[in-house]
């Protein structure tokens, strides 16, 4: 129960990695607020946590809208009495497209959600944490942010590479406020983002098996375990770290 008495906010908490992470925090004693745009998905996460005996609520928030982000932090604090841990996990991936064919609107959208969304989230989370005893933030980056070898992913890789750098810069800016800021960089895992449209779990697993040195995609639990460790006191000396969990792809 590493998070007893703590309040955790998870963006993109209605699905995939965000849902698994929210459930893991709740299982370790945190009151969890999940956010996203899809109310039905958020409600499902809350129901799953309720069924597990945990405490959770949701607030609808688009991370590209600063007023939504400010409200998600405000409502978390009002409802649960604080904010100790924030997981900035919301993200989008658009279909692979060579740079010269990429729509400028698509480029802006990916950067807006994946990068500006993390900036806005941290800005408002830190504004609370710095005046209330500090906290821990973990941003979801991607191993694709560390290389350009996936053709057609220029916008996504750029956004995630920038999230990893923003994590380090923010960590230094706010270390004196008692806020530890780190990132995880998952490789392909069971989250929805690594699946092609209509692809079954088995088809996806087979497609990735030969691409990943470990021979398989990651599980959601393997990603959430890394997030929880970085957010916990056990990682008290980890600052500005980008924890890669990718089965050896970038080794
Ligand atoms: N799955 C992988 O293999 C993998 C690998 C590396 C990194 N990642 C990263 O892990 C994170 C989660 O991915 P996932 O696989 O779990 O996929 P996912 O289920 O599609 O998760 C993305 C989440 O982001 C939310 N979101 C998207 N746009 C948003 C916006 N404008 N405002 C607020 N929330 C928004 C979505 O919720 P709503 O639709 O409700 O808004 C959704 O819950 C992403 O940042 C992704 O880049 C995934």
């Amino acid at each position: 129960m590493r998070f007893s008495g703590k309040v955790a906010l998870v963006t993109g908490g209605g699905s995939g990695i965000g849902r698994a992470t929210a459930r893991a925090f709740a299982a370790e004693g945190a009151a969890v607020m999940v956010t996203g745009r899809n109310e039905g998905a958020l409600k499902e996460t809350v129901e799953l946590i309720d069924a597990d005996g945990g405490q959770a609520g949701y607030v609808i928030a688009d991370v590209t809208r600063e007023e939504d982000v400010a409200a998600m932090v405000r409502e978390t604090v009002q409802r649960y009495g604080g904010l100790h841990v924030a997981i900035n996990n919301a993200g989008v991936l658009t279909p692979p497209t060579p740079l010269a064919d990429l729509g400028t609107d698509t480029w802006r959208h990916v950067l807006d959600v994946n990068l500006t969304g993390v900036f806005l989230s941290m800005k408002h989370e830190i504004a609370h944490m710095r005046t209330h005893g500090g906290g821990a933030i973990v941003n979801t980056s991607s191993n694709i942010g560390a290389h350009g070898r996936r053709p057609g992913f220029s916008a996504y890789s750029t956004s995630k590479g920038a999230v990893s750098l923003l994590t380090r810069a923010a960590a230094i800016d706010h270390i004196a406020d008692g806020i530890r800021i780190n990132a995880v960089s998952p490789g392909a895992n069971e989250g929805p983002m690594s699946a092609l449209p209509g692809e079954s779990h088995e088809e996806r697993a087979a497609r990735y098996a030969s691409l990943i040195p470990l021979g398989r995609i990651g599980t959601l639990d393997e990603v959430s375990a890394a997030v929880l460790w970085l957010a916990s006191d056990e990682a008290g000396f980890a600052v500005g770290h980008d924890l890669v969990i990718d089965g050896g792809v970038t080794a």
Side-chain angles (χ1 to χ4, degrees):
M1 300 297 272
R2 287 174 292 179
F3 297 95
S4 271
K6 305 270 191 204
V7 178
L9 169 67
V10 182
T11 74
S15 56
I17 293 171
R19 173 176 287 172
T21 302
R23 293 182 76 180
F25 273 114
E28 292 220 37
V32 181
M33 186 71 106
V34 288
T35 80
R37 297 160 306 166
N38 179 340
E39 185 169 21
L42 296 171
K43 274 186 178 163
E44 257 180 49
T45 299
V46 170
E47 283 162 13
L48 286 165
I49 291 174
D50 281 348
D52 292 341
Q55 192 183 5
Y58 71 89
V59 55
I60 297 167
D62 182 329
V63 292
T64 67
R65 296 164 55 93
E66 187 158 8
E67 61 272 33
D68 282 18
V69 173
M72 97 187 167
V73 171
R74 194 169 55 242
E75 288 183 31
T76 303
V77 172
Q78 274 168 4
R79 179 155 180 181
Y80 295 116
L83 176 63
H84 308 101
V85 171
I87 311 303
N88 299 316
N89 165 78
V92 285
L93 176 66
T94 50
T97 310
L99 185 148
D101 303 324
L102 190 64
T104 306
D105 285 351
T106 303
W107 166 269
R108 290 205 168 105
H109 176 61
V110 172
L111 272 287
D112 209 20
V113 178
N114 292 2
L115 178 58
T116 306
V118 171
F119 161 72
L120 290 173
S121 299
M122 284 203 289
K123 178 178 166 184
H124 288 274
E125 293 152 1
I126 290 168
H128 174 82
M129 287 175 175
R130 75 196 305 191
T131 53
H132 292 81
I137 295 176
V138 182
N139 299 319
T140 309
S141 186
S142 167
N143 70 341
I144 296 178
H147 66 80
R149 294 192 301 277
R150 280 289 291 282
F153 281 83
S154 57
Y156 184 78
S157 345
T158 301
S159 70
K160 292 297 188 177
V163 165
S164 294
L165 188 55
L166 179 63
T167 298
R168 300 211 293 269
I172 294 304
D173 276 356
H174 293 289
I175 189 160
D177 295 321
I179 303 169
R180 283 189 312 103
I181 305 177
N182 292 288
V184 289
S185 276
N189 61 75
E190 289 168 339
M193 211 169 267
S194 60
L196 297 172
E199 189 178 44
S200 72
H201 182 78
E202 291 68 28
E203 287 165 342
R204 172 171 59 168
R207 182 166 57 85
Y208 277 111
S210 62
L211 301 174
I212 298 176
L214 198 59
R216 64 168 177 83
I217 60 173
T219 67
L220 294 176
D221 287 347
E222 285 167 334
V223 179
S224 65
V227 174
L228 263 70
W229 179 74
L230 281 172
S232 76
D233 292 342
E234 292 168 358
F237 206 49
V239 174
H241 184 58
D242 185 359
L243 181 49
V244 178
I245 315 145
D246 71 354
V249 169
T250 47

